[in-house]
Amino acid sequence: MAIQKLYDMTQAMAAVLMENTEEDFYTLVELRDEVLKNLQANSEISESDKQLLSKILEYDQVIVERMNTIRSEASVALGKIQSFRLQKNAYDMGYSTESYFFDQKK
């Protein structure tokens, strides 16, 4: 069942939390969305599914904290890139390549 698959994936990701990539978290979120849609379509949830869902929720805090850390790191990196572009653009003014300079001794 999809809930068991979600639980297995959540547990595996929590075990190696610092090694997960953005793509891993994206896959987890997609699977969670799929399970949520299935649960909303099904009005009845079995007791075993409820237990699995509560176990999944136990991992939420650490996973969300790691996702926020990755988001913060990406935000800092993006800020550095934008700063670099601003500095580069300041030096790359639209100078004409057809101009000439003549040095003269006085």
Side-chain angles (χ1 to χ4, degrees):
M1 177 142 219
I3 296 175
Q4 181 65 45
K5 181 179 177 184
L6 176 61
Y7 173 71
D8 294 340
M9 180 181 239
T10 303
Q11 190 177 27
M13 287 184 69
V16 290
L17 195 60
M18 299 307 284
E19 298 173 12
N20 294 318
T21 63
E22 295 87 3
E23 292 82 18
D24 296 333
F25 288 111
Y26 183 76
T27 303
L28 179 68
V29 169
E30 282 185 332
L31 183 58
R32 286 179 72 127
D33 285 344
E34 178 184 321
V35 168
L36 182 62
K37 286 177 186 176
N38 289 340
L39 288 174
Q40 288 174 343
N42 245 344
S43 61
E44 293 183 23
I45 302 172
S46 70
E47 191 61 38
S48 62
D49 287 346
K50 287 180 183 180
Q51 289 175 352
L52 281 176
L53 290 171
S54 67
K55 288 179 183 179
I56 290 169
L57 289 175
E58 292 174 6
Y59 293 107
D60 265 3
Q61 184 176 359
V62 292
I63 290 176
V64 169
E65 285 176 9
R66 179 63 183 145
M67 290 172 75
N68 285 333
T69 302
I70 290 174
R71 183 183 63 177
S72 296
E73 290 170 356
S75 177
V76 167
L78 184 61
K80 287 181 182 180
I81 290 171
Q82 289 173 343
S83 173
F84 173 75
R85 284 184 181 161
L86 285 174
Q87 291 174 359
K88 185 177 182 282
N89 287 340
Y91 289 106
D92 290 342
M93 299 303 278
Y95 297 112
S96 173
T97 58
E98 308 256 339
S99 61
Y100 298 99
F101 293 99
F102 294 101
D103 289 335
Q104 294 180 4
K105 288 186 178 181
K106 290 186 181 183

